[in-house]
Amino acid sequence: MRLVIASTSTPLQLARASRSRSAVEITQTYLRGLKSVEGRLGSFLAVDEEGALAQAAAIDARIAAGEDVGPLAGVPIGIKDNLCTQGLATTAGSKQLDGYVPPYDATAVARLRAAGAVLLGKTNMDEFGMGSSCENSGFQPTHNPWDPERVPGGSSGGSASAVAANQVVAALGSDTGGSIRQPASFCGVVGVKPTFGRVSRNGLVAYASSLDCVGPMAQSVADAAALLSVIAGPDTADSTCSQRAAEDFTTGLLPAEQLGSTPLAGRRLAVIRETTGEGVDAGVSAALSSAIQHLKSLGAEVEEVSLPSFAVGLPAYYVIALSEASSNLSRYDGVRYGHRAEADELWEMYGKTRHAGLGSEVARRILMGTYALSAGYYDAYYKRAQQVRTLIQREVGAALQQYDALLCPAAPTPAYKLGEKTSDPLAMYKGDLMTVNLNLAGLPAVCLPCGFAEQPGGAKLPVGVQMIGRAFGEAELLQLAHVFEQTAGVMAEARPVVHAATQ
Amino acid sequence: MAVCGSMRALARAGVQGPCQRLWAVSQQLRLFGVCRRAGSSSGLAAAGAAPPGRAGLACAASAAATDAAPSSSKQKVEYEAVIGIETHVQLNTATKAFCGCASEFGAEPNSNVCPICLGHPGTLPALNAEMVRKAVLAGLALNARVALESKFDRKQYFYPDLPKGYQISQYDVPLCEGGWVEVVVPDSSTATGGSPRRIGVTRAHLEEDAGKLVHGGAASLSGSDYSLADYNRGGVPLLEIVSEPDMRSGAEAAAYGAELRRIMRFLGVSDGNMAEGSMRCDVNISVRPAGRAAFGTKVEIKNMNSFNAMQRAIEFEVARQVELLEAGREGEIVQETRLWDEGRQCTYSMRRKEGLADYRYFPEPDLPPLVLSQAYVDELQASMPELPAAVRQRYASLGLSQYDAVVLSDEPAVARYFDALLAAGAPAKPAANWVQGDVMAHCKEAKLAWEALLGVMAPAALAEMIQLIEDGTISGKIGKEVLPALLAGEGGAGGGSVRALVEARGLVQISDPAALGAIVDSVLAANPKQLEQYRGGKTKLQGFFVGAVMKESKGRANPAELNRILMERLNAPQ
Ligand SMILES: [Zn+2]
C-alpha cells in the first residue's frame, strides 16, 4: 500500500516525496493551520499538540534509522471523540465523561498510530452520537467551514468540518444512522460507512451496538480508502467483527488519466425512488440529477428502484438504536469514572449524576429506549423493529442482486443554520431517512461531493451523493466513487470559506 | 470524586488523570440505605444501628412453630412446603467470562480488573471458551438438553457492583434445559440410610458475576455510612442452575444442594465453596395445605453459607409460614426476599418485591449467538468423568453400606484415594474403614488436603498395610501404630516396603503357637497367685492374663491365637 493523499488538496505527498519537510515540520504546519481557524469552527474538543509532535518526532527518528514507518507516516489525523485514545481525554461529547482519560486505545486508533498517522486531536460530536448537527455536543457547537452560520452535520460534525477546512488531512468518524455520511454531505468531504463488522468497534463508545460503525472521512476517495485499509480487519476484541482479512482498498483506484472514456460501462446502478421527490431540497435534487447524468456519461446504466420498506425503516431504526442506547449508557452512573454528583443516598446520587452529566437529547433517547424495552412493550417495539430490520435487509439485498450499487442523497437538504432545527427533534429525525436503512441492513455506503446547492443568501453549500454497495463490497464501491470523483471534478475549483493554509 | 479536570484542557499522553487512576483503586462510595431491611420503610436506613424490625417477631414465631404440632384442638391440617432452588455456581476458569482477568478468589481488592470488567466506555465482551466447555459438561452431568444454539441477553438494573448497568446473562434461550439430579435424602428411619429421588432441573444458563460491596462504618449493612466496591469478582463466570419446585423439606433441599456441589466438584468445573461464595443458593419456598394444587405465596431466602444452614433456614421459614397460615394471617406472607441470620437462627425480611422486577432483557448485541456443534457436545459427553451417583452405586456393589458409599463419594479426592486403594488390592470394607476412620481424622486434624495426602502416603502403602492386617502379619492395633509412620511417608510406595518397615521395627504379629505358648507359659509362671485364683473360679482374671501376654509380646501377639492358647493352658486339667 502506498500513501495516497488527495492530489489537489494537500501538498503532503509531494512534501514527503521530496523529503523537503519532516513529519515534525508537517505536524507543526498542520497544528498552526488547525489553530488559525479553530476559533471560527470549533471542530476540536481537545488538541494534543505535545503528543502529536512527539509522535512525529518518533516517525522522523525511524525514517532516519531506515525503519519502515507505515503507510500513513506523518499524516495528520483527527479522531472523533467517541473513539478511545489512551492518555488523551475522550468524552463522546458528554459532560458525563468530562476529563475521562481512557486506559486504552480503540482498535482503529491503535491501527492508525501503528501505520504512522499523527493524531492531532479529538473532534467534536453530538453527545454520544445522538444528533445530526453537532448542536447536541455537551461542550460547544461546531461551524460549517462553507458557511460558519450553518451546522456541519452530525454526529461526526467535528471530523467533517476539520477535514473540510484542512485542519487535518483525514479523520475517523462513526456512523450509527448516518453520522459519517450526512456531515460528509454537509461539509463536502468523502465519508465511508463500512459494512457492519468490517472495522472493529473495540474502543468506540457505544451508542447502538448493532448499528455502530467506525469509518474514515477524508478529502478524497483515495485517502478514505487508504485509511479504511489500515483500520479494517479482524479483531478478537470485538466478537461482532468479521473474520475477513483486511484488503488494500487503494489498489483498484486508477489515476484519472488512466481511465478510459466510459470507465463505468456495464455497471448497473439504481436510484432509490423513496429518497427522491417530495421533501427533498431542490438544490439536492439538482445535484443528484447532474451526478446521475455524469454517471451515465461514464457508461453506467442508471435506473430507478423502489424499496418500499425504506419508509418503515426510520421508526424501526429509532426503536432499535434507542433501546440499545438506553442499555449502553447505563454504565455512566458516576460510580467508577466520569462525573459524579454529591448525594447522601445511592439512588439520589444516580439521579443527580445522570441528570447533570447527560444532555436533554440523550435523556430523551434513554427514556424512549427504556420504554421500548419495558415488560409488555418489548414485543410491540423491539421485537417488531427487528422484524422490520430483517425485511429491509432482504429488500435492499435483493436490489443489490440486480444492481451493482444504489444511489441516493445522504440528506434531504444541504447544511442548515445553527438553531434552525434544534426546537423540533422530529424534523431532525426525518433527515436520517436517507441513511438509517443502510445501518439496519449493515451495508457499506460512501458519501462524496456531487455538486453544490446555491442558497438565497449566495452561499454555496456542498451536496453529497450516497453510493451503497453489497456487504463487504467496499473495494468495488470505492472504485465507483473514485471514478466519479476523478472525472466529475466537483471540488476542482471549490474551497470552503474557512480553510487552513498548510503551505 | 467530583469532576475530573477541565474538558478543554489538553490532555497529555501518559499523564494519569484522576479518572484513570480511579478504575484501578478501591474507592469509597456512599451508599446509605443500600440494603435496607424491613422496618426502614423510607429506604433511608437510619444511621444508628436499629435492629431489623421484623426479625424479632419472626424469631418468636419460629420458637412457637418449631414445637411442631399445632396446639389448638381444631381439626389438624397437614401443610406441605414447595421448594425450588436457584444455584449460582462459579465456574473455575483461569480467566473471567468476558475478559482476560484472573478469576481467582481472595486477591487484593481491585487487582484483577481491566477496562472490560470495569465497564469502561467502548469495551466489548469476548466469550471465554473454557467457560462454555465447563458449562456444557455440567449441563450434560445434570442430564439436561444442551442447546446447539443459545444466545446472550442483557439483564438490566442499576447497582454499584454491576459495572455496565447490566449483567450479561441468558434469558429465553439458555444453554441447558430440562435435566434432573438424583439425590439421596438421608433418612435415619431406614436401615439403608435413605432413598434416591429425582429433582428436576428447569434450566442452567451462563452469566457473569457481579462485584462485591463491602459496607463500612458499621458492623451491619444498615448502619454503614459508606461502601467499598471490589470488582475482582465482577465478570467471574457463573452457571445458574434453576431447579423445579420439586423439594418438600429442608433435608431434601440440602441433599439436592450437596449433590449439585458433588457433581460440580467431580466434574472439576467448580470448587463449590459456599463459604467463599463460589456456590450460592437462593431458595424459593411456599407452603400450602397438602393436596392443594395451587402454590402459596413464594418467599425467597438468601444468605446461607452451608447446606446445613440452608436446611435450618428452610425449616424455620416453613414453620414461620405454617404458623401464619394457622393463625389465619396468610396475608402476612408476602412475596419478598428474606435473609438467613445464622447468629439468630431466623430469617428476616430484606426487601419486598413490588410485583415482578422489570430487568428489560434484550439480546446482547455485542455477542453473536453461541453455536456449538454436535461433535463438540458428543466429545464432552464422552470425556465425562464418573459422577458421584455412579461412584456410590459402584461402592454399594462392592458390598459397602449406603452410608459408607455416600461418605466415600462426597469428595472427589476422597473417592480418588479410595479407588487407588482398591486398585492397589485393598479389600473394600477394611479400606473403607481406614479411609473414613483414622486417615480422615488425620487429614482433618493436620488440615491436610486429600490431594496432598497422595504425595505423602501412597495409596499402595496403605493398601499393603491393610493387606498385612488381613493376612494376619500384623494386628489391627499395630496397624494403628504403624499408620503415623506411613503418614510420615515412611511406607514408601508399598509393594513390600510396609512389610519391611514392620519387620524392621519388630512389629510382625506373633502367631506361631510354639512362640505364643512360651510367652503364655512364662506369664503364668510369673503370676502363680493369680493363676491359683483363676483356677479357683475367679475367671474374670482372663483379661489380666491377656494384658500381661500382650505386654510381654510388646503388643505383637496374634489376639485370636493368644486367646486360644491362653484358654488352653488356663483350663488345662491339673
Ligand atoms: Zn477484566
Side-chain angles (χ1 to χ4, degrees), chain A residues 47 98 100 104 335-337 344, chain B residues 7 27 32 118-121 163:
Chain A
V47 177
D98 195 353
Y100 170 72
Y104 73 109
V335 174
R336 286 145 296 116
Y337 50 77
D344 288 337
Chain B
M7 166 62 216
Q27 61 164 301
F32 282 101
L118 287 176
H120 270 242

Side-chain angles (χ1 to χ4, degrees), chain B residues 96 99-101 112-118 234:
Chain B
K96 293 186 181 181
C99 67
C101 290
N112 291 331
V113 292
C114 73
I116 297 172
C117 58
L118 287 176

Side-chain angles (χ1 to χ4, degrees), chain B residues 517 520-521 523-525 527-547 549 562-574:
Chain B
V520 169
D521 287 342
V523 165
L524 293 183
N527 299 285
K529 208 169 132 200
Q530 284 83 349
L531 180 63
E532 195 179 323
Q533 286 172 342
Y534 179 90
R535 287 186 172 149
K538 205 170 176 188
T539 51
K540 271 198 285 182
L541 280 167
Q542 183 198 340
F544 163 79
F545 289 113
V546 170
V549 175
L562 155 64
N563 246 343
R564 191 183 61 77
I565 292 168
L566 179 66
M567 294 316 285
E568 208 176 80
R569 295 285 202 276
L570 285 173
N571 300 330
Q574 301 306 300

Side-chain angles (χ1 to χ4, degrees), chain B residues 316-393:
Chain B
F316 172 88
E317 186 58 24
V318 171
R320 186 186 74 90
Q321 292 185 23
V322 167
E323 177 81 356
L324 287 169
L325 287 174
E326 288 187 331
R329 290 155 62 197
E330 57 262 45
E332 290 173 41
I333 303 174
V334 293
Q335 205 168 331
E336 62 181 348
T337 297
R338 300 176 71 86
L339 296 182
W340 171 246
D341 185 330
E342 183 70 33
R344 304 158 65 106
Q345 294 286 300
C346 66
T347 66
Y348 63 91
S349 181
M350 179 176 89
R351 61 164 177 258
R352 198 160 162 168
K353 291 189 173 174
E354 313 285 352
L356 267 178
D358 185 359
Y359 292 117
R360 302 190 313 280
Y361 280 102
F362 81 107
E364 166 59 279
D366 288 332
L367 289 169
L370 174 57
V371 179
L372 309 174
S373 70
Q374 187 61 52
Y376 172 85
V377 177
D378 291 346
E379 208 174 292
L380 286 179
Q381 180 77 67
S383 75
M384 183 75 63
E386 192 181 27
L387 294 171
V391 175
R392 284 196 296 270
Q393 210 164 39

Side-chain angles (χ1 to χ4, degrees), chain A residues 222-264:
Chain A
D223 284 5
L227 252 69
L228 183 62
S229 306
V230 166
I231 62 173
D235 180 16
T236 51
D238 177 3
S239 308
T240 64
C241 193
S242 166
Q243 294 300 304
R244 278 168 194 259
E247 295 172 40
D248 182 351
F249 298 107
T250 64
T251 48
L253 309 184
L254 299 175
E257 58 274 16
Q258 286 180 33
L259 300 169
S261 58
T262 54
L264 297 182

